Amino acid sequence: MTSARTTGPGPGTRTLRIVLPAVLVLVWLAVGGIGGPYFGRIAEVSSNEPTAYLPTSAQATRVQERLPQFLGGDTIPAVVLVTAGSPLTDAQKTQLATVPKALAGIQGVSGQPSPPIVSQDGTAAQLFVPVKASAAVADTVAAMRSALPGLVPSGTTAYVTGPAGFTGDLVTAFGGIDGILLLVAVAAVLVILVVVYRSPLLPLVVLLTSTFALTAALFTVWWIAKAGVFPLSGQTQGILFILVIGAATDYSLLYVSRYREALRAHQHRWDATRAALRGSFEPILASGGTVIAGLLMLLLSDLQSNRALGPIAAVGIVFAMLAALTLLPSLLLLLGRAAFWPRRPRYAPDAAGADPVPTRGLWARVPRFVVRRARPVWVVGVVVLLAASAGVLQLRASGVPSSDLVLGHSEARTGQQELAQHFPGGSGSPVQVIVAADRLQQTATTLLGTAGVQGVAVVSAASPSGEAPVTAEGVQPVIPGTPAPAPTVANGDVLLQATLTDAPDSAAAEHTVRELRTALGSSALVGGATATAVDSDDASVHDRNLIIPLVLVVILVILVLLLRAVVAPLLLVGTVVLSFGATLGVSALVFNHVLNLPGADPAVPLFGFVFLVALGIDYNIFLMTRVREEALHAGARTGMTRGLAITGGVITSAGVVLAATFAALAVIPILFLLQLAFIVAFGVLLDTVLVRSLLVPALGQELGRSMWWPSRRITA
């Protein structure tokens, strides 16, 4: 390695080298000052309503869009269940009759709640409360839960359940995203950085870079959601936070490693900064580009939530790269070697002192071990990964009941369980069927003849909640002896509401909905909470089967262009896919037998794949770009050894940081986020420790120059 020039810059150049980084730091400070307050405003543009993220062509979406025509407003039903240990007395029933009027006065309640309906065993009563979909549903549900203890008779217990109740619990569960999630993620990263750098200042500089990247991303995403370009959910928000913090920290670790290395080879920090940027620009750009390309494949998703996550998360990666390539170099340029105190890198112009290959420690021993035992290492590695992949057969990712989405306490879930003890399981969450008015009776007869349907009602002006029952003989009056109410007709259609015998989020209820759609064919639209779950699961399966192969192809093309080879990219993609299979296999065993989870959403494998493959390739990009750089001078096998030794510490640190940040998602009590946290955290560690540190280098030693075919610039 040649020594760097030691002549200092002239006065004008020296001024520019101070002004330029100072201006960049001031620009980022301004971005932070403008974007910082938006952390507290994210709820203004966020929504967790399931139907808001379905495909526009889904039956449940089309039904939801037309409901205001029949119900007089866009509402979400809440079910208030009141239970007693013994049959309700006349006095208790009289007091319950006053509850609807009191609930109608709560902000967010739309219209008059239904009168109490007493169960056949006389020990419970239920009321249906329409909640404005445009209102803060969680706040309305919370107000109802707060008011009910003072409204219901003594000796009874009240629950708020139904779709509005579950939405309220879901929003409450996401409430920790702005605070506890960020706090846990940042704290975990800070601890790891202090251990890695053993410096009080450098971890703060890296963390500052990640935080400003997140601020800029959040500001941009807020306005994207505000303009209605893409919807923003609590789930997307949580993933954005973690992804930006983790990715920005990883890119920063790579740059810091290059900068530390350059400070040993260059006397002046400006020259060291230029050398560090030259060495880190391509791998950071390629790494970020790979993740962005993988994320943008989500634009092909049927689910609007997936479609939104792709570009929103891509925005975060863009700012993570920008911060790591502008703000971090500027801060380190201004601080110089002082940033590394007390372990300042010393200028060592001689070749031995500037050689970045460690001569002692773990990353001096691992490459030597791989060279001596290359074939056993890769054979054992492949066997272990294949064995772990067998657990995929136990992965249950066909969907979970909405009542299981929230972990821990859920009043809506408890209320639904109690509801099923006294009323039909589907009470409060009916299947909504829109059909031509002249097919009302025929459709009602089909509904009533389907197993799993308890009863059918028609929506009319006199009974906007669908209280007028429909029997095989026709529409029956709400009050016996009075004329049957005329159904509400909108554009020639009427709305029927079918109460199911099973809980609306159960597998049996979903089977009933599929049976109804088959029986009714194209003559009717079938929607409601259960239909929404059916359409979501079907769309997730479609997305998984379409997007996973496309992500692999896109990443393979990027690697071919980056490494100027064919064999190496194929090998890298193959090892990452094998690592993903092993991760899913281990995850299935943990979910089923350790955590005893009820299953997984079909989107879990897709999200896990996108993040693991895109981010897992990151570390191979960091490794292989350096290996190629070294191999051009030292040959394929020596280049692999030197590249592994040089990058081993920084890439392992980056993997631990990313695993820790994604693991922070587990603090949010949402089943999907817990599973995604485990899959990505475990998968990143597996990829970092086994695949990138042992398997890929061992295969590189085995293949030698053939790994870089068809390039002729690299020798054996």
Side-chain angles (χ1 to χ4, degrees):
M1 184 177 292
T2 58
S3 61
R5 297 191 314 174
T6 60
T7 56
T13 304
R14 188 181 299 113
T15 301
L16 176 63
R17 294 175 182 181
I18 295 174
V19 171
L20 179 59
V23 169
L24 287 173
V25 171
L26 289 174
V27 168
W28 276 101
L29 286 174
V31 170
I34 296 171
Y38 283 81
F39 278 95
R41 300 180 57 188
I42 198 71
E44 298 175 13
V45 294
S46 180
S47 170
N48 293 293
E49 176 59 29
T51 51
Y53 302 97
L54 282 172
T56 54
S57 60
Q59 285 197 42
T61 308
R62 293 157 66 189
V63 169
Q64 184 69 26
E65 291 172 348
R66 294 196 60 188
L67 285 183
Q69 300 173 2
F70 301 96
L71 303 179
D74 192 5
T75 62
I76 303 175
V79 180
V80 174
L81 175 69
V82 181
T83 62
S86 57
L88 295 166
T89 65
D90 291 340
Q92 288 176 321
K93 293 177 182 178
T94 300
Q95 185 173 346
L96 284 176
T98 66
V99 173
K101 183 177 180 181
L103 294 179
I106 293 177
Q107 185 175 359
V109 173
S110 177
Q112 183 67 29
S114 73
I117 303 171
V118 179
S119 62
Q120 287 187 354
D121 61 12
T123 62
Q126 64 175 347
L127 301 82
F128 302 113
V129 183
V131 177
K132 293 179 183 176
S134 58
V137 176
D139 292 342
T140 304
V141 170
M144 292 168 60
R145 287 172 174 168
S146 178
L148 280 169
L151 298 175
V152 299
S154 60
T156 62
T157 304
Y159 306 90
V160 179
T161 184
F166 282 111
T167 299
D169 287 351
L170 196 63
V171 172
T172 301
F174 277 119
I177 282 182
D178 291 337
I180 188 172
L181 176 61
L182 264 183
L183 183 63
V184 170
V186 169
V189 171
L190 180 60
V191 169
I192 294 170
L193 292 178
V194 169
V195 172
V196 169
Y197 290 130
R198 286 172 260 180
S199 165
L201 183 57
L202 192 55
L204 296 178
V205 173
V206 172
L207 204 54
L208 191 67
T209 300
S210 303
T211 304
F212 274 89
L214 177 58
T215 302
L218 182 63
F219 174 77
T220 305
V221 166
W222 193 95
W223 283 104
I224 289 175
K226 179 71 172 179
V229 179
F230 291 107
L232 181 64
S233 67
Q235 177 177 292
T236 301
Q237 178 188 344
I239 293 174
L240 174 69
F241 284 8
I242 291 302
L243 187 63
V244 175
I245 292 291
T249 303
D250 276 4
Y251 302 151
S252 297
L253 285 168
L254 179 63
Y255 179 82
V256 169
S257 174
R258 284 284 192 169
Y259 186 58
R260 188 203 299 269
E261 181 182 321
L263 285 172
R264 295 192 181 100
H266 298 271
Q267 182 178 9
H268 300 290
R269 51 190 176 183
W270 174 264
D271 296 327
T273 299
R274 291 178 60 190
L277 282 172
R278 281 198 303 270
S280 58
F281 180 81
E282 184 179 43
I284 289 177
L285 193 64
S287 171
T290 302
V291 178
I292 289 172
L295 289 169
L296 291 182
M297 289 297 100
L298 291 174
L299 285 169
L300 301 175
S301 171
D302 270 357
L303 279 175
Q304 293 187 56
S305 54
N306 292 357
R307 231 173 17 243
L309 176 63
I312 286 174
V315 167
I317 295 297
V318 168
F319 282 109
M321 289 192 297
L322 283 175
L325 292 173
T326 58
L327 176 58
L328 180 65
S330 299
L331 290 171
L332 292 181
L333 176 59
L334 294 174
L335 293 171
R337 288 177 171 82
F340 295 88
W341 182 87
R343 304 175 67 191
R344 301 186 185 190
R346 298 183 179 277
Y347 173 52
D350 59 292
D355 191 347
V357 176
T359 57
R360 59 183 181 178
L362 177 65
W363 295 108
R365 296 192 299 270
V366 169
R368 291 197 293 265
F369 171 75
V370 171
V371 169
R372 292 195 305 267
R373 301 283 189 270
R375 183 166 297 176
V377 166
W378 75 257
V379 170
V380 171
V382 170
V383 170
V384 168
L385 293 176
L386 286 173
S389 299
V392 171
L393 299 175
Q394 295 191 41
L395 183 67
R396 294 178 285 123
S398 58
V400 293
S402 59
S403 57
D404 288 325
L405 294 179
V406 176
L407 302 173
H409 173 71
S410 168
E411 181 177 317
R413 178 171 59 238
T414 304
Q416 179 173 284
Q417 292 168 350
E418 289 290 327
L419 185 71
Q421 302 297 318
H422 305 281
F423 295 94
S427 295
S429 299
V431 173
Q432 295 158 330
V433 181
I434 297 178
V435 67
D438 59 0
R439 296 182 60 87
L440 186 157
Q441 191 59 55
Q442 180 181 349
T443 302
T445 301
T446 301
L447 294 175
L448 290 167
T450 302
V453 175
Q454 176 77 19
V456 177
V458 63
V459 171
S460 68
S463 57
S465 298
E467 297 150 357
V470 184
T471 66
E473 293 76 27
V475 181
Q476 301 298 306
V478 176
I479 301 175
T482 64
T488 298
V489 180
N491 296 325
D493 296 329
V494 295
L495 174 64
L496 295 172
Q497 302 202 110
T499 300
L500 303 183
T501 56
D502 302 295
D505 61 351
S506 64
E510 292 187 6
H511 176 74
T512 301
V513 166
R514 294 185 187 278
E515 290 289 317
L516 289 176
R517 285 179 169 173
T518 300
L520 295 173
S522 60
S523 65
L525 296 175
V526 180
T530 307
T532 297
V534 169
D535 290 340
S536 296
D537 290 346
D538 289 349
S540 292
V541 172
H542 165 271
D543 294 346
R544 187 176 65 200
N545 296 340
L546 171 67
I547 294 173
I548 286 179
L550 290 177
V551 170
L552 285 176
V553 171
V554 169
I555 290 177
L556 180 62
V557 170
I558 292 175
L559 288 176
V560 169
L561 296 175
L562 174 67
L563 300 177
R564 290 87 158 176
V566 174
V567 175
L570 286 171
L571 182 138
L572 293 179
V573 170
T575 56
V576 171
V577 170
L578 190 58
S579 174
F580 174 69
T583 298
L584 278 192
V586 172
S587 298
L589 297 176
V590 172
F591 295 162
N592 296 344
H593 306 296
V594 178
L595 300 178
N596 296 316
L597 300 179
D601 189 275
V604 167
L606 172 62
F607 278 47
F609 180 86
V610 170
F611 288 119
L612 265 186
V613 172
L615 296 171
I617 284 291
D618 269 10
Y619 302 123
N620 284 318
I621 287 176
F622 292 167
L623 169 66
M624 296 305 290
T625 51
R626 188 57 183 255
V627 167
R628 187 177 188 278
E629 180 182 328
E630 298 292 333
L632 287 171
H633 304 289
R637 289 186 170 87
T638 302
M640 177 63 75
T641 303
R642 286 179 59 85
L644 175 60
I646 294 169
T647 63
V650 62
I651 296 179
T652 300
S653 300
V656 172
V657 166
L658 190 65
T661 51
F662 263 92
L665 281 173
V667 303
I668 304 300
I670 300 295
L671 178 65
F672 178 90
L673 294 183
L674 170 65
Q675 293 173 325
L676 185 64
F678 181 85
I679 288 173
V680 177
F682 179 82
V684 165
L685 290 177
L686 180 66
D687 196 73
T688 303
V689 174
L690 177 59
V691 176
R692 191 270 315 160
S693 300
L694 297 173
L695 181 56
V696 170
L699 288 169
Q701 292 295 332
E702 181 84 10
L703 294 174
R705 183 179 179 277
S706 301
M707 188 175 188
W708 298 98
W709 182 86
S711 174
R712 297 182 178 180
R713 298 183 59 191
I714 296 175
T715 62

